[in-house]
Amino acid sequence: MGIGHTRWATHGEPVDRNAHPHPSGDGRLALVHNGIIENYGPLKKELMSRGHVFDSDTDTEVLVHLLEDILKNEAVDLLEAVRLALTQVVGAYAIVVVDRDNPDHLIAARKGSPLVIGVGEDKGEYFIGSDASPIIEHTRNVIYINDFEIAEIANGELLIKTVDNEIKTPYVEHLELQLEMLEKAGYDHFMLKEIYEQPRSIRDSMRGRIYPKEGFMQLGGLKEYDEKLRHAQRIIIVACGTSWHAGLVGEYLIEEFARVPVGVEYASEFRYRNPIISEKDIVIAISQSGETADTIAAIELAKERGATILGICNVVGSTIPRMTDAGVYTHAGPEIGVVSTKAFTAQVTVLTLMALHMAHLRGKMAQTKFVELLNVLENIPKLVEETLGCDEATKYIAEEIKDATNAIFLGRGIGFPVALEGALKLKEISYIHAEGYPAAEMKHGPIALIDENMPVVVIATRNSSYEKVISNIQEVKARKGRIIAIVTKGDTAVKALADYTIEIPDADEAFLPLLATIPLQLLAYHTALLRGCNVDQPRNLAKSVTVE
Ligand code: G6P
């Protein structure tokens, strides 16, 4: 029996003193914790007044001292002590506690932070994790622990009860995940593998959902909500990080195809500004992990106000899909690299499907156009494959920009969220400060930054804003910025102006994000490598952020 935890610092810097597990003062208990104990201040003060001495700056340590205190003062066992302690705690937690005096006992509990128990083949063999990926090499049978539940593994037996002392019957799910999906398959990094997986992950996200020959599509998960989708007067998308960028693409597509107003909100902001929302609204929550605390909080608020909640998630069985009314999974497969790549294009694929589905339901698109777009969509994985051919070009350009301290990414229309996503990828893994901007907004501020040292990446494909983007490129050139342009295959006008160009295949404008994002992911990857950065685990970032 053993416990460990990779800590994402909330309270206290990442040093040994703050590392988990945290022992109790008497050394009897040890505890790991994911989440935040919000009332740790008053609890700590109270415990200190009773003689407890703290060694770390963490909120977590308070919990283990609280347990020790309860065990010393009340005639209860560890399970009951955990239950009592948790009734005093405000905040989010997934915890695991072990007891030196009862080495065959282990207690785990959850509120707000994910917790999964893997059931091994041997009797009494259990694995506990924040999600299924680290468990899968041992077992595919898992139990998802719900909020306010406590699990006790004692002498090889598992018992689950609620904080209110109600015994639960565990529901064991069998996961289809394959171990190979969690390995690098010969690639140097997960990020590169996941970039190269995109033709497959996009195809998988459409599989069984579109039938271009029959002129038909279906989203099984939304079937019961077709009426709602037909009559919705407004859609609100809530998400964080890269998923928020996918949301911006979704806004463009749903408004363009289905003619429904869409608002895209940072989940963290939405929650704290008393949003106007009612039963008539549909909220779409987008999340790769399905565990992002801010997105979960936004869903809770929207639910309270009666909105219909639909989810677009990648991790099957995670918290968000379990709390939404309905949803559509992206079938990107496990994404291990901390920065999101294939999950983004899978989210965009699903949003494209939703936009087309709504357009069809609401009678906003002629059948011929509908069938035409289904055909283009079916062919997208092939075009993504072709786009991956830009790897060498991005490597070359990475050499040229690797010493930059700043970079600007510009795009217009549906190219704007692509610019945001390109800038986010570069800053996340290469630590070059990068900003994404609508190309026309550049003249209202960022243009002041442009000089011969500034790389300016422009989405300049041949679409509705092509001519306007060319004017923006001229403006950058006049100020000696170094222009890296993403262009449509065969382009000549932008090529004549730009310092470097990367060609992507021609496709309907609506599908631009699925193609134009690829070179930006590769550019970030190669630049980060040349700067000696850890691309799969960039500093300070976490794959799923389960704290608010
Ligand atoms: C973290 C990750 C990002 C991700 C964001 C939202 O910040 O590092 O890559 O985009 O969370 O995560 P979600 O799982 O909700 O999509």
mmCIF file of all heavy atoms in Angstrom, residues 289-290 311 313 315-325 329:
data_model
loop_
_atom_site.group_PDB
_atom_site.id
_atom_site.type_symbol
_atom_site.label_atom_id
_atom_site.label_comp_id
_atom_site.label_asym_id
_atom_site.label_seq_id
_atom_site.Cartn_x
_atom_site.Cartn_y
_atom_site.Cartn_z
ATOM 1 N N SER A 289 -10.887 17.518 -20.521
ATOM 2 C CA SER A 289 -10.783 16.612 -19.371
ATOM 3 C C SER A 289 -12.134 16.285 -18.746
ATOM 4 O O SER A 289 -12.303 15.240 -18.132
ATOM 5 C CB SER A 289 -9.909 17.262 -18.304
ATOM 6 O OG SER A 289 -10.515 18.469 -17.852
ATOM 7 N N GLY A 290 -13.076 17.227 -18.879
ATOM 8 C CA GLY A 290 -14.357 17.053 -18.182
ATOM 9 C C GLY A 290 -14.225 17.283 -16.686
ATOM 10 O O GLY A 290 -15.124 16.949 -15.914
ATOM 11 N N GLY A 311 -22.904 19.026 -23.209
ATOM 12 C CA GLY A 311 -21.454 18.955 -23.014
ATOM 13 C C GLY A 311 -20.734 18.507 -24.273
ATOM 14 O O GLY A 311 -21.283 17.748 -25.087
ATOM 15 N N CYS A 313 -17.152 16.835 -24.457
ATOM 16 C CA CYS A 313 -16.024 16.405 -23.615
ATOM 17 C C CYS A 313 -15.279 15.266 -24.283
ATOM 18 O O CYS A 313 -15.808 14.568 -25.147
ATOM 19 C CB CYS A 313 -16.525 15.940 -22.255
ATOM 20 S SG CYS A 313 -17.213 17.286 -21.294
ATOM 21 N N VAL A 315 -13.068 13.080 -22.160
ATOM 22 C CA VAL A 315 -12.844 11.963 -21.235
ATOM 23 C C VAL A 315 -14.181 11.353 -20.814
ATOM 24 O O VAL A 315 -14.982 11.975 -20.107
ATOM 25 C CB VAL A 315 -12.022 12.403 -20.011
ATOM 26 C CG1 VAL A 315 -11.834 11.236 -19.053
ATOM 27 C CG2 VAL A 315 -10.667 12.947 -20.455
ATOM 28 N N VAL A 316 -14.394 10.138 -21.290
ATOM 29 C CA VAL A 316 -15.650 9.435 -21.014
ATOM 30 C C VAL A 316 -15.774 9.182 -19.509
ATOM 31 O O VAL A 316 -14.807 8.780 -18.862
ATOM 32 C CB VAL A 316 -15.684 8.097 -21.793
ATOM 33 C CG1 VAL A 316 -16.934 7.296 -21.469
ATOM 34 C CG2 VAL A 316 -15.590 8.362 -23.291
ATOM 35 N N GLY A 317 -16.937 9.462 -18.970
ATOM 36 C CA GLY A 317 -17.185 9.174 -17.548
ATOM 37 C C GLY A 317 -16.684 10.245 -16.599
ATOM 38 O O GLY A 317 -16.852 10.126 -15.393
ATOM 39 N N SER A 318 -16.081 11.309 -17.141
ATOM 40 C CA SER A 318 -15.563 12.353 -16.257
ATOM 41 C C SER A 318 -16.734 13.180 -15.694
ATOM 42 O O SER A 318 -17.896 12.965 -16.046
ATOM 43 C CB SER A 318 -14.563 13.240 -17.004
ATOM 44 O OG SER A 318 -15.161 13.762 -18.164
ATOM 45 N N THR A 319 -16.417 14.126 -14.842
ATOM 46 C CA THR A 319 -17.473 14.819 -14.095
ATOM 47 C C THR A 319 -18.447 15.585 -15.001
ATOM 48 O O THR A 319 -19.666 15.497 -14.825
ATOM 49 C CB THR A 319 -16.819 15.786 -13.091
ATOM 50 O OG1 THR A 319 -15.956 15.016 -12.259
ATOM 51 C CG2 THR A 319 -17.853 16.483 -12.220
ATOM 52 N N ILE A 320 -17.931 16.361 -15.960
ATOM 53 C CA ILE A 320 -18.835 17.219 -16.759
ATOM 54 C C ILE A 320 -19.865 16.393 -17.538
ATOM 55 O O ILE A 320 -21.061 16.672 -17.442
ATOM 56 C CB ILE A 320 -18.041 18.218 -17.635
ATOM 57 C CG1 ILE A 320 -17.320 19.199 -16.706
ATOM 58 C CG2 ILE A 320 -18.956 18.945 -18.626
ATOM 59 C CD1 ILE A 320 -16.431 20.211 -17.387
ATOM 60 N N PRO A 321 -19.439 15.356 -18.291
ATOM 61 C CA PRO A 321 -20.490 14.585 -18.976
ATOM 62 C C PRO A 321 -21.505 13.975 -18.027
ATOM 63 O O PRO A 321 -22.640 13.728 -18.399
ATOM 64 C CB PRO A 321 -19.728 13.478 -19.710
ATOM 65 C CG PRO A 321 -18.303 13.772 -19.581
ATOM 66 C CD PRO A 321 -18.101 14.910 -18.640
ATOM 67 N N ARG A 322 -21.096 13.752 -16.782
ATOM 68 C CA ARG A 322 -22.055 13.155 -15.848
ATOM 69 C C ARG A 322 -23.014 14.195 -15.276
ATOM 70 O O ARG A 322 -24.041 13.842 -14.713
ATOM 71 C CB ARG A 322 -21.311 12.414 -14.740
ATOM 72 C CG ARG A 322 -20.691 11.113 -15.302
ATOM 73 C CD ARG A 322 -20.124 10.211 -14.233
ATOM 74 N NE ARG A 322 -18.936 10.775 -13.638
ATOM 75 C CZ ARG A 322 -18.644 10.726 -12.347
ATOM 76 N NH1 ARG A 322 -19.475 10.148 -11.507
ATOM 77 N NH2 ARG A 322 -17.535 11.250 -11.891
ATOM 78 N N MET A 323 -22.669 15.474 -15.410
ATOM 79 C CA MET A 323 -23.578 16.484 -14.839
ATOM 80 C C MET A 323 -24.396 17.226 -15.897
ATOM 81 O O MET A 323 -25.323 17.958 -15.547
ATOM 82 C CB MET A 323 -22.802 17.458 -13.932
ATOM 83 C CG MET A 323 -21.807 18.350 -14.631
ATOM 84 S SD MET A 323 -20.684 19.176 -13.466
ATOM 85 C CE MET A 323 -21.815 20.234 -12.585
ATOM 86 N N THR A 324 -24.093 17.023 -17.172
ATOM 87 C CA THR A 324 -24.842 17.720 -18.225
ATOM 88 C C THR A 324 -26.123 16.949 -18.560
ATOM 89 O O THR A 324 -26.251 15.769 -18.237
ATOM 90 C CB THR A 324 -23.982 17.829 -19.504
ATOM 91 O OG1 THR A 324 -23.454 16.537 -19.806
ATOM 92 C CG2 THR A 324 -22.842 18.801 -19.335
ATOM 93 N N ASP A 325 -27.067 17.636 -19.231
ATOM 94 C CA ASP A 325 -28.310 16.963 -19.615
ATOM 95 C C ASP A 325 -28.070 15.986 -20.766
ATOM 96 O O ASP A 325 -28.689 14.948 -20.863
ATOM 97 C CB ASP A 325 -29.352 18.002 -20.057
ATOM 98 C CG ASP A 325 -29.763 18.902 -18.896
ATOM 99 O OD1 ASP A 325 -30.161 18.347 -17.863
ATOM 100 O OD2 ASP A 325 -29.652 20.136 -19.014
ATOM 101 N N TYR A 329 -19.586 13.333 -27.278
ATOM 102 C CA TYR A 329 -18.169 13.122 -26.952
ATOM 103 C C TYR A 329 -17.298 13.416 -28.174
ATOM 104 O O TYR A 329 -17.679 13.130 -29.304
ATOM 105 C CB TYR A 329 -17.934 11.665 -26.541
ATOM 106 C CG TYR A 329 -18.224 11.394 -25.080
ATOM 107 C CD1 TYR A 329 -19.256 10.537 -24.700
ATOM 108 C CD2 TYR A 329 -17.453 11.979 -24.087
ATOM 109 C CE1 TYR A 329 -19.515 10.283 -23.356
ATOM 110 C CE2 TYR A 329 -17.710 11.730 -22.734
ATOM 111 C CZ TYR A 329 -18.734 10.887 -22.374
ATOM 112 O OH TYR A 329 -18.980 10.637 -21.051
#
